[in-house]
Amino acid sequence: MSKQVEGVSEKIEACAKKEFLENGYVDASLRTIAAEAGTTTGSIYSRYGGKEGLFAAIVEPAAKEFTDIFVGVQERFRENDPEEQPELLDQYSQTGMELLMDYMYDHFEEFQLLVNGAYGTKFQNFVEHLVEIETEYTYKYMEATGLKFKDGKPVTKEFMHIMNKALFESFFEVVRHDMCKEDAMEYVVMLEKYHSAGWDIIYKEGCEQPGTQG
């Protein structure tokens, strides 16, 4: 088995990132990437197994770290006493969004690929995966704090999923609109306030705490 030449993988990934950013995964050309990197398509296949493996090598580390940060915030929130969680919710939500925004802007090109160029790969459902995680933790929060919904006004997991999908699609609009980080940070603060206000209305008008009467 021949030894891989040092530096070739880095060159391939740099050229691939450029090609994927310009054309998206589906229309990106391995031949173009190989030519730009001064190598062959065979060399790319031997290193990455093909185009999707090459795409994954570029975006997967950022996607995993972003998801780990997100889950970490959720878990730290759950460590709080359930009686204190309602008062801490907005603080953790805003802090979490700011942490995620910081990380995303430190790896902005990778997130451009995840949000705009991943169709046709396993990463095309990246945002949906985050929504599913958020929905599960929202449900855990409701269970932990004892929220009970009045008859005729159930808030189902399906509704939670739709609401959370709207939040995350809005969050990633900063990538789609190529916002500068400063503008994006202001945007995400407003977005979190808007989202929290909607949930507050649902909680106050559609829910009751144990022991209260509707």
Side-chain angles (χ1 to χ4, degrees):
M1 182 176 179
S2 61
K3 183 178 179 180
Q4 292 185 352
V5 179
E6 185 177 353
V8 174
S9 293
E10 290 81 0
K11 180 66 172 176
I12 290 172
E13 289 175 24
C15 294
K17 183 186 288 188
K18 178 175 178 290
E19 175 72 5
F20 288 133
L21 285 169
E22 290 178 354
N23 297 301
Y25 172 79
V26 172
D27 294 327
S29 166
L30 280 186
R31 288 184 179 180
T32 299
I33 294 168
E36 291 289 331
T39 189
T40 65
T41 56
S43 176
I44 293 175
Y45 274 97
S46 70
R47 286 174 165 81
Y48 303 99
K51 186 163 70 168
E52 184 162 3
L54 177 53
F55 188 88
I58 295 169
V59 304
E60 192 160 28
K64 182 181 184 303
E65 183 66 19
F66 186 92
T67 304
D68 288 346
I69 292 170
F70 176 48
V71 172
V73 172
Q74 300 277 13
E75 286 295 322
R76 287 193 295 276
F77 175 72
R78 288 191 69 217
E79 290 172 0
N80 291 288
D81 189 303
E83 292 185 0
E84 298 176 356
Q85 287 183 15
E87 294 298 321
L88 296 171
L89 181 59
D90 286 348
Q91 173 191 332
Y92 271 81
S93 295
Q94 184 169 324
T95 300
M97 278 197 161
E98 290 172 355
L99 284 172
L100 293 173
M101 191 69 71
D102 276 334
Y103 184 83
M104 187 167 69
Y105 271 82
D106 286 341
H107 304 82
F108 196 71
E109 289 184 338
E110 286 81 356
F111 281 90
Q112 285 180 308
L113 292 176
L114 285 166
V115 174
N116 298 325
Y119 180 76
T121 77
K122 65 181 181 179
F123 299 98
Q124 69 182 27
N125 295 319
F126 172 67
V127 176
E128 182 67 21
H129 178 56
L130 297 173
V131 172
E132 291 171 357
I133 294 172
E134 175 70 10
T135 299
E136 287 302 314
Y137 276 102
T138 302
Y139 197 75
K140 289 175 182 178
Y141 165 74
M142 290 166 54
E143 288 185 323
T145 55
L147 286 172
K148 293 183 178 179
F149 298 99
K150 294 181 179 180
D151 292 340
K153 291 187 178 181
V155 177
T156 63
K157 278 191 176 182
E158 288 78 10
F159 180 79
M160 282 187 255
H161 183 276
I162 292 169
M163 289 289 288
N164 290 326
K165 182 67 174 288
L167 172 64
F168 276 91
E169 288 293 344
S170 298
F171 178 90
F172 286 110
E173 282 296 296
V174 303
V175 176
R176 298 185 180 101
H177 287 271
D178 199 21
M179 288 186 188
C180 69
K181 185 177 180 180
E182 182 179 1
D183 288 347
M185 283 296 193
E186 291 181 4
Y187 168 85
V188 79
V189 169
M190 290 188 291
L191 177 63
E192 174 55 31
K193 290 179 179 178
Y194 178 86
H195 184 75
S196 294
W199 277 115
D200 283 345
I201 291 172
I202 292 170
Y203 288 146
K204 290 173 183 177
E205 294 187 359
C207 312
E208 60 183 359
Q209 296 288 348
T212 63
Q213 298 296 320

